[in-house]
Amino acid sequence: MRRDRVEIGRKTISYLAVEPSAPQVHQRPPRTVVFLHAFPLQAAMWESTLGSVPNDWRAIAPDFRGFGESSLPDAGNGSIAELAGDVVDLLDRLQIARTAVIGCSMGGYVLFELLRIAPNYVGAV
């Protein structure tokens, strides 16, 4: 498991990631699951779960802005819609077109918003 971050405009999105350890068949993109954390926690709440994802899956757990190591200068924690937009921005930056998404508490609300604004990214809930 590693912690990484991406800069998108003025915002920094930090996330935990587990990459597939099994070789990919026919070079297809790995299946991905995204874990969205509860309030007032951060991606670290998913550490033990990330370690149990199947070997051929990628797992991503972002910190929402204002939590953990993610930030957006001069802004509060953001609305649920802004948090969902941050998830879409992260998926785009990581070139993830479709993913399974798991949300807990506030993360569940962000998941519902993802289904509303960007359903094409969500392959399973």
Side-chain angles (χ1 to χ4, degrees), residues 6 8-9 11 13 36 62-65 72 77-94 107 109-118 121:
V6 295
I8 301 172
K11 65 184 159 191
I13 301 175
L36 303 176
D63 288 330
F64 292 131
R65 62 172 73 182
L72 178 61
N77 289 342
S79 68
I80 295 297
E82 290 170 324
L83 299 178
D86 292 346
V87 173
V88 170
D89 288 345
L90 178 63
L91 294 174
D92 285 345
R93 178 59 62 91
L94 298 178
Y109 287 108
V110 174
L111 169 55
F112 291 142
E113 185 65 11
L114 275 175
L115 288 169
R116 190 182 74 74
I117 66 167
Y121 286 92

Side-chain angles (χ1 to χ4, degrees), residues 15-83:
Y15 62 96
L16 294 174
V18 174
E19 297 297 330
S21 58
Q24 295 300 305
V25 178
H26 305 297
Q27 301 294 350
R28 67 175 171 80
R31 292 179 285 184
T32 304
V33 59
V34 174
F35 294 91
L36 303 176
H37 67 80
F39 177 87
L41 304 174
Q42 56 188 305
M45 77 169 266
W46 297 109
E47 281 182 353
S48 63
T49 305
L50 290 171
S52 63
V53 171
N55 301 14
D56 58 339
W57 282 68
R58 174 195 299 170
I60 307 287
D63 288 330
F64 292 131
R65 62 172 73 182
F67 297 90
E69 297 180 27
S70 289
S71 65
L72 178 61
D74 304 323
N77 289 342
S79 68
I80 295 297
E82 290 170 324
L83 299 178

